[in-house]
Each structure stands twice: as structure tokens, then as C-alpha cells.
Amino acid sequence: MGVLADSAIREMIESGAISATPAVADAQIQPASLDLRLGTRAWRVRASFLAGDGRTVAERLQEFEMHQIDLTDGAVLEKGCVYVVPLMEGLDLPHDVHAVANAKSSTGRLDLLTRTITDGGTEFDRIGASYSGPLYAEICPRSFSVLVRPGMRLNQIRFRKGHAVLSDADLKALHAKTPLVDGTAVIDQGLGFSVDLRPETGDLVGFRAKPHTGVIDLDLIGHYDPTEYWEPIHSKDGRIILDPGAFYILVSREAVHIPPDTAAEMAPYLAMVGEFRVHYAGFFDPGFGHANAGGEGSRGVLEVRCHEAPFVLEHGQIVGRLVYETMEHPPERLYGAGLKSNYQGQGLKLSKHFKPV
């Protein structure tokens, strides 16, 4: 029982449970997940959709297609539009393995809503045991238009056997053995975390996406001037007011640790706590912020979108929770240890495409 580690993912590739054209590259295999690659064509569609029981995504595309786009030489996915892109990977899952997908960290920090859909699927990002078929990415740029090419990795998939979520009692025992946060652990259906609006130095607490910006080429790392795309958010009294429809990058007050034999997923705290949503990219790999992987605790970056009404967010307010799961086996490589991990030891940080603030 548990989340499958990198070695098990390699076995699934060898057995044909995971197939790909071209073949899966080693760089796609993370400690507890597999990066998925965009294919060569995108469909601009009228609306987001799920295939539905007994139907294929290809069938539904005929209903909702507006036009097709060749991605071979690069193409712009425009802000506010919805696209469906077949992925290079497909699945033939065993009867005892199910999967969940999520956006990668850099994808979420660009407000690039990316979800996985499947044939017969009735939920986004959830893939049942024994599924056999193709995978598709639904992509909706919310704040910035982006330039994409085949092979780009915007989302990732995690495989599980059985129910691996740690109970609150298990989580308290784990925290007593290996502290999961650098302060008091708020454990209630997972590990709660709060927003930091009183930084130790200065009064910069986050960034808000500007409404009218240029295109972001997702292949360019450390390239863009943050001031052209983001408005800095300052607070002198430990609170900010979220504007409806605006997208923010904030940071958790707690420094988080993910021990090597666990993985975690970020989940909303409670729907009724406020008029906002936290998180687009939810996977935390084994070793994130952990001393064994060169970390001393890493803050969780909060991707926040405000809904219908302005909302006051205050320092220390609980905004999300980490749901911890056991690994079936510890991974061969930990997040941040020998991997190109962009966010180990992070604080308040924009995506890797921007120059340091």
C-alpha cells in the first residue's frame, strides 16, 4: 500500500503499464511522480469538458472544437481560452493501481490552469484502477498567454496502491518523531498551514499578476523581468485585501518538511473560510524541505485566486492543509538531492521563468 516511488514507476514503464511516444526520458521520473509531456497538436475548444462515462475525449472534441493548432514550431495559448492537448504518455494500469494528476509547481505559479482528462472520465485529474487509454491535458491560461512546444511538461501524475493517507493520529506521531513544520503543528484532517503577512524583514508579502502583459515562453528560465508581469504587494499591518478575479503569489508562515518515506498533496482547507481558492500545484515529493535532501524546511508557495467578493486575508490565517501519504517504498532519489529541484529551501518565490526579485 502507498504512493509508488521512482523505482516502481520505472517498472511500470518496462511492463507497458506506462507507454509513451517518444519513450519516457529519465528526467521525467520524479521521486513520487512522473512528468507528462505535451504532444504536437492542440485543440481550441468552446468550453472545458469531461468525456463522461462510456465516451472518449476524441468524440467530445468533435462537439466542442473551434480549431486545431500545430505546436511543432511553437504556438501561443492565449489568456482566457481553453485548449486540449493529447499527451505523449498513455496508461494501461493494473487492477490495483490508481492515479492522480496535478499541475507542476511552475505551471501553478503562472496561473496556468492545467488538468488531466481521460476517456470515460467523470472527474478531472483522477484516474481509476485498470484504466487503459490515452491522456489529455486541458490548459486554460488565466493570467498570462504562454508559448508552448511539444515535449513541455506542465503536469505530472502520481500512482497509488490502496488508501495511503495518514490519519491525524499517525500524523501527530510522525510530527513527534520528525517535526513536519518549524512551529506548532495544526493537525485536523491533515497538516494545516497559514499565510505569512508579517515577514521577518521588510513588508513585501506577495505579488499580484498584472492584467495586460506579454507572452511567456515556457522554455526560458530566469529570463523575464518580474516588474513587467507582477505587482509587488506590501503590508504594514499583517493583512491584505484580495481583489475579485485577481491572482496572487503568497507564502506560508510555516516551513514544511516531507520525510523520505512520505509524500504529500496540498488540499483546500475549508470551502467556507473565505472567498478565495488556494493551490493549483499540489504535489510535495519525498525530501521536500527535509534535512536528508539538503533542506532546512521549505515554505509552501500559495497560488491564490479571489472569487466574487473582496476578502481580507490576515497574517496567520489557516488557508490550506497538507495531506500526507505513506510511500510504498522510499524513493531512490529525494527531492532536492541530485535532482534539478528549483524550489528546495524556498521562501516567497515566483516561477523559475523570472529573474530573482
Side-chain angles (χ1 to χ4, degrees):
M1 295 291 188
V3 174
L4 302 191
D6 44 14
S7 57
I9 293 173
R10 291 188 177 90
E11 291 174 3
M12 291 179 67
I13 295 169
E14 293 172 3
S15 71
I18 300 171
S19 58
T21 304
V24 174
D26 186 66
Q28 290 175 247
I29 303 174
Q30 305 301 326
S33 61
L34 175 72
D35 292 345
L36 302 172
R37 300 168 297 176
L38 299 182
T40 58
R41 185 164 293 275
W43 274 256
R44 166 79 166 91
V45 293
R46 289 186 285 126
S48 172
F49 67 88
L50 291 164
D53 190 30
R55 306 195 64 179
T56 68
V57 174
E59 291 172 351
R60 305 312 301 271
L61 281 173
Q62 295 177 15
E63 297 179 46
F64 302 115
E65 171 188 348
M66 296 178 68
H67 59 88
Q68 297 182 31
I69 304 169
D70 186 354
L71 303 183
T72 304
D73 296 322
V76 173
L77 305 186
E78 296 186 13
K79 172 183 171 181
C81 299
V82 182
Y83 302 86
V84 173
V85 182
L87 297 170
M88 293 181 176
E89 289 73 30
L91 300 177
D92 186 12
L93 293 179
H95 69 90
D96 60 345
V97 175
H98 56 105
V100 60
N102 219 311
K104 290 179 63 64
S105 294
S106 295
T107 307
R109 296 180 199 206
L110 289 176
D111 197 17
L112 190 56
L113 179 62
T114 303
R115 303 184 288 193
T116 301
I117 55 177
T118 61
D119 290 347
T122 57
E123 292 182 284
F124 291 108
D125 289 333
R126 297 295 186 267
I127 304 165
S130 300
Y131 174 77
S132 182
L135 300 173
Y136 300 81
E138 179 199 273
I139 304 169
C140 180
R142 303 292 303 278
S143 289
F144 311 114
S145 296
V146 294
L147 178 64
V148 302
R149 300 177 183 84
M152 283 184 170
R153 297 176 282 172
L154 303 188
N155 57 346
Q156 56 194 334
I157 191 167
R158 179 174 281 180
F159 302 95
R160 298 184 176 108
K161 286 185 177 180
H163 184 73
V165 174
L166 294 178
S167 68
D168 285 351
D170 292 336
L171 207 53
K172 290 175 182 177
L174 179 61
H175 177 66
K177 177 182 177 182
T178 305
L180 303 177
V181 291
D182 57 350
T184 302
V186 178
I187 296 176
D188 181 11
Q189 299 183 61
L191 178 68
F193 58 90
S194 60
V195 63
D196 185 6
L197 297 178
R198 292 187 185 275
E200 293 184 2
T201 58
D203 58 7
L204 176 67
V205 297
F207 301 91
R208 177 170 51 203
K210 290 186 173 181
H212 308 292
T213 66
V215 171
I216 295 176
D217 184 336
L218 298 184
D219 271 341
L220 298 181
I221 308 303
H223 176 79
Y224 294 99
D225 180 353
T227 62
E228 295 182 5
Y229 295 83
W230 299 95
E231 175 188 349
I233 302 298
H234 299 271
S235 175
K236 297 185 181 299
D237 59 1
R239 66 181 182 182
I240 59 174
I241 298 177
L242 303 178
D243 291 326
F247 178 75
Y248 299 81
I249 295 293
L250 305 173
V251 69
S252 72
R253 184 174 59 166
E254 299 81 9
V256 179
H257 300 254
I258 310 296
D261 56 352
T262 65
E265 183 175 356
M266 192 184 296
Y269 182 57
L270 287 172
M272 65 282 295
V273 297
E275 288 287 334
F276 63 93
R277 170 191 168 176
V278 175
H279 98 86
Y280 280 72
F283 288 166
F284 286 69
D285 272 340
F288 179 85
H290 197 67
N292 290 3
E296 296 180 354
S298 293
R299 304 289 186 93
V301 166
L302 310 177
E303 301 135 4
V304 179
R305 176 170 288 282
C306 186
H307 297 319
E308 290 82 2
F311 185 79
V312 176
L313 199 59
E314 303 194 60
H315 176 72
Q317 183 172 341
I318 299 290
V319 294
R321 57 195 170 93
L322 280 180
V323 177
Y324 281 73
E325 300 178 271
T326 57
M327 295 292 296
E328 184 192 36
H329 298 290
E332 294 175 350
R333 295 183 294 181
L334 297 175
Y335 185 93
L339 297 173
K340 293 181 179 179
S341 304
N342 292 289
Y343 305 116
Q344 184 73 299
Q346 70 181 357
L348 177 64
K349 188 173 183 180
L350 297 172
S351 78
K352 62 186 179 181
H353 307 93
F354 296 98
K355 296 175 181 177
V357 177

